Coordinates of all heavy atoms in Angstrom, one line a residue:
T49 N -18.7 1.8 20.3 CA -19.9 1.4 21.0 C -19.8 0.1 21.8 O -20.6 -0.2 22.7 CB -21.1 1.3 20.0 OG1 -20.8 0.3 19.0 CG2 -21.4 2.6 19.4
A50 N -18.9 -0.8 21.4 CA -18.7 -2.1 22.1 C -18.1 -2.0 23.4 O -16.9 -1.7 23.5 CB -18.0 -3.0 21.2
S51 N -18.8 -2.2 24.5 CA -18.2 -2.2 25.8 C -17.7 -3.5 26.3 O -16.8 -3.6 27.1 CB -19.3 -1.7 26.8 OG -20.4 -2.6 26.8
D52 N -18.2 -4.6 25.7 CA -17.8 -5.9 26.1 C -16.8 -6.6 25.1 O -16.6 -7.8 25.1 CB -19.0 -6.8 26.4 CG -19.8 -7.0 25.1 OD1 -19.7 -6.2 24.2 OD2 -20.6 -7.9 25.1
A53 N -16.3 -5.8 24.2 CA -15.5 -6.3 23.1 C -14.1 -6.8 23.7 O -13.6 -6.2 24.6 CB -15.2 -5.3 22.0
K54 N -13.7 -7.9 23.1 CA -12.4 -8.4 23.5 C -11.3 -7.6 22.9 O -11.4 -7.2 21.8 CB -12.2 -9.9 23.1 CG -13.1 -10.9 23.7 CD -12.8 -12.3 23.3 CE -12.7 -12.4 21.8 NZ -12.5 -13.8 21.4
P55 N -10.3 -7.2 23.7 CA -9.2 -6.5 23.1 C -8.5 -7.3 22.0 O -8.4 -8.5 22.2 CB -8.3 -6.1 24.3 CG -8.6 -7.1 25.3 CD -10.1 -7.5 25.1
F56 N -8.0 -6.7 21.0 CA -7.3 -7.4 19.9 C -5.8 -7.0 20.0 O -5.4 -6.0 20.5 CB -7.9 -7.0 18.6 CG -7.9 -5.6 18.2 CD1 -6.8 -5.0 17.6 CD2 -9.0 -4.8 18.5 CE1 -6.8 -3.7 17.3 CE2 -9.0 -3.5 18.2 CZ -7.9 -2.9 17.6
E57 N -5.0 -7.9 19.4 CA -3.6 -7.6 19.4 C -3.3 -6.6 18.3 O -3.7 -6.7 17.2 CB -2.9 -8.9 19.0 CG -1.4 -8.8 19.1 CD -0.7 -10.1 18.8 OE1 -1.3 -11.1 18.7 OE2 0.6 -10.1 18.6
V58 N -2.6 -5.5 18.7 CA -2.2 -4.4 17.8 C -0.9 -4.8 17.2 O 0.1 -5.1 17.8 CB -2.1 -3.1 18.6 CG1 -1.6 -2.0 17.6 CG2 -3.4 -2.7 19.1
Y59 N -0.9 -4.7 15.8 CA 0.4 -5.0 15.1 C 1.0 -3.6 14.7 O 0.5 -3.0 13.8 CB 0.1 -5.8 13.8 CG -0.4 -7.2 14.1 CD1 -1.8 -7.5 14.1 CD2 0.5 -8.2 14.5 CE1 -2.2 -8.8 14.4 CE2 0.0 -9.5 14.7 CZ -1.3 -9.7 14.7 OH -1.8 -11.0 15.0
D60 N 2.0 -3.2 15.4 CA 2.6 -1.9 15.2 C 4.0 -2.0 14.6 O 4.7 -1.1 14.5 CB 2.6 -1.0 16.4 CG 3.4 -1.7 17.6 OD1 3.8 -2.8 17.4 OD2 3.5 -1.1 18.6
D61 N 4.4 -3.2 14.2 CA 5.7 -3.5 13.7 C 5.7 -3.8 12.2 O 6.7 -4.3 11.7 CB 6.4 -4.6 14.5 CG 5.7 -5.9 14.4 OD1 4.5 -5.9 14.0 OD2 6.3 -6.9 14.7
V62 N 4.7 -3.5 11.5 CA 4.6 -3.7 10.0 C 5.5 -2.7 9.3 O 5.2 -1.5 9.4 CB 3.1 -3.6 9.5 CG1 3.0 -3.9 8.1 CG2 2.2 -4.6 10.4
L63 N 6.4 -3.3 8.6 CA 7.5 -2.4 8.0 C 6.9 -1.4 6.9 O 7.3 -0.3 6.9 CB 8.6 -3.2 7.4 CG 9.4 -4.0 8.4 CD1 10.5 -4.8 7.6 CD2 10.0 -3.1 9.4
T64 N 5.9 -1.9 6.1 CA 5.4 -1.0 5.1 C 4.6 0.1 5.7 O 4.6 1.3 5.2 CB 4.5 -1.8 4.1 OG1 3.6 -2.6 4.9 CG2 5.2 -2.7 3.2
T65 N 4.0 -0.1 6.9 CA 3.3 1.0 7.6 C 4.3 2.0 8.1 O 4.0 3.2 8.1 CB 2.4 0.4 8.7 OG1 1.5 -0.5 8.1 CG2 1.7 1.4 9.5
K66 N 5.4 1.5 8.6 CA 6.4 2.4 9.2 C 6.9 3.3 8.1 O 7.1 4.5 8.3 CB 7.5 1.6 9.8 CG 7.2 1.0 11.1 CD 8.3 0.2 11.7 CE 8.0 -0.4 13.0 NZ 9.1 -1.1 13.7
V67 N 7.1 2.8 6.9 CA 7.6 3.6 5.8 C 6.6 4.7 5.4 O 6.9 5.9 5.3 CB 7.9 2.8 4.5 CG1 8.2 3.6 3.3 CG2 9.1 1.8 4.8
W68 N 5.3 4.3 5.3 CA 4.3 5.3 4.9 C 4.1 6.3 6.0 O 3.8 7.5 5.7 CB 3.0 4.6 4.6 CG 3.0 4.1 3.2 CD1 3.2 2.8 2.8 CD2 2.9 4.8 2.0 NE1 3.1 2.7 1.4 CE2 3.0 3.9 0.9 CE3 2.7 6.1 1.7 CZ2 2.9 4.3 -0.4 CZ3 2.6 6.5 0.3 CH2 2.7 5.6 -0.7
S69 N 4.2 5.9 7.2 CA 4.1 6.9 8.4 C 5.2 8.0 8.3 O 4.9 9.1 8.7 CB 4.2 6.1 9.7 OG 3.1 5.2 9.8
A70 N 6.3 7.6 7.8 CA 7.4 8.6 7.7 C 7.0 9.8 6.7 O 7.5 10.8 6.8 CB 8.7 7.9 7.2

Side-chain angles (χ1 to χ4, degrees):
T49 59
S51 60
D52 61 341
K54 295 187 307 184
F56 57 86
E57 185 178 353
V58 175
Y59 296 98
D60 58 357
D61 61 344
V62 181
L63 295 180
T64 49
T65 298
K66 288 181 179 184
V67 170
W68 280 103
S69 296

